[in-house]
Every structure is written in structure tokens, then in C-alpha cells.
Amino acid sequence: QVQLVESGGGLVQAGASLRLSCAASGRTFSTYTMAWFRQAPGKEREFVASISWSTYVGDSLKGRFTISRDNAKNTVYLQMNSLKPEDTAVYYCAARRGLVGTDSVRSNDYNYWGQGTQVTVPS
């Protein structure tokens, strides 16, 4: 079983940047499609970005958010710039077996999940 641990969240002012990290266990990290989802209070879980050999970012987040991975370190990152109050949410790292070449937006497709890290951007 793969364990995922997110870090890097916190409280920042609007316009600031954060870089989230997700460290994965296991020896087959490079064969997994990785993703970030987020969930705000009272709202459904929302796809943020995914990465296999290519990257996809949710339409509303393009230009501000960037996903990347370092297979040598078993780590996936989410760079978040120009943060807005509406970005406030718990951000979850997820992994699915296999590499998919499209934006994998369905949470049910993912096999492993981290515990989440809180990002708060006050109004």
C-alpha cells in the first residue's frame, strides 16, 4: 500500500504563494498518475491538477497553479501563486495506478489518498 503525506499548507494573505509537497512511499512511484484535489467546507471535492508524463490543471486554475513531480524523490508538488480567498480548502494528494495521458478528474479513479493539508487565504 502506498502512503501519501502532504505538507506545505498554511495561512497566507491574498496574492501570496505556497508550494505544497506530497511525499509517497513505495518503489513504483513513477508508474502512478498523481493528482491534487481540494475540498472547501460544504462543497464537493474538486479536481485541481494531475500529472503523469504530462500535466493538466483545472481550467479555472490555469496560469496560477502548476503541478510537477520528482520521481527520484517520490514527491509531487503543487505551486500555487496569486492565492485568493476562494482557494481556501483542504488540499489532498492522490495517486492512481498507471499513467494516463488525459486529465484524470474523477476522485473515484484514485487508489491512494493523503490526509490533506489546510490552505487558508483570508478575505
Side-chain angles (χ1 to χ4, degrees):
Q1 181 166 322
V2 175
Q3 291 183 316
L4 305 173
V5 181
E6 302 98 331
S7 62
L11 190 153
V12 297
Q13 298 300 307
S17 297
L18 278 177
R19 189 195 195 199
L20 306 183
S21 298
C22 173
S25 67
R27 304 173 67 177
T28 56
F29 177 80
S30 63
T31 70
Y32 289 88
T33 296
M34 304 296 298
W36 291 94
F37 291 79
R38 68 184 186 183
Q39 188 165 25
K43 295 187 177 181
E44 295 185 3
R45 188 163 296 182
E46 176 189 14
F47 172 79
V48 174
S50 66
I51 182 168
S52 51
W53 62 86
S54 58
T55 63
Y56 296 89
V57 179
D59 288 341
S60 65
L61 303 177
K62 291 178 180 177
R64 295 196 299 121
F65 286 21
T66 304
I67 189 171
S68 61
R69 68 193 295 166
D70 187 339
N71 288 340
K73 297 181 178 179
N74 275 25
T75 302
V76 63
Y77 306 95
L78 182 69
Q79 178 68 43
M80 305 184 294
N81 298 328
S82 302
L83 284 163
K84 305 174 180 179
E86 50 262 45
D87 296 319
T88 295
V90 177
Y91 284 71
Y92 296 93
C93 178
R96 62 179 289 177
R97 293 184 290 271
L99 300 172
V100 298
T102 60
D103 54 319
S104 184
V105 303
R106 298 186 301 178
S107 61
N108 285 347
D109 288 339
Y110 289 83
N111 306 108
Y112 308 102
W113 292 84
Q115 81 288 349
T117 185
Q118 177 72 44
V119 173
T120 302
V121 186
S123 299

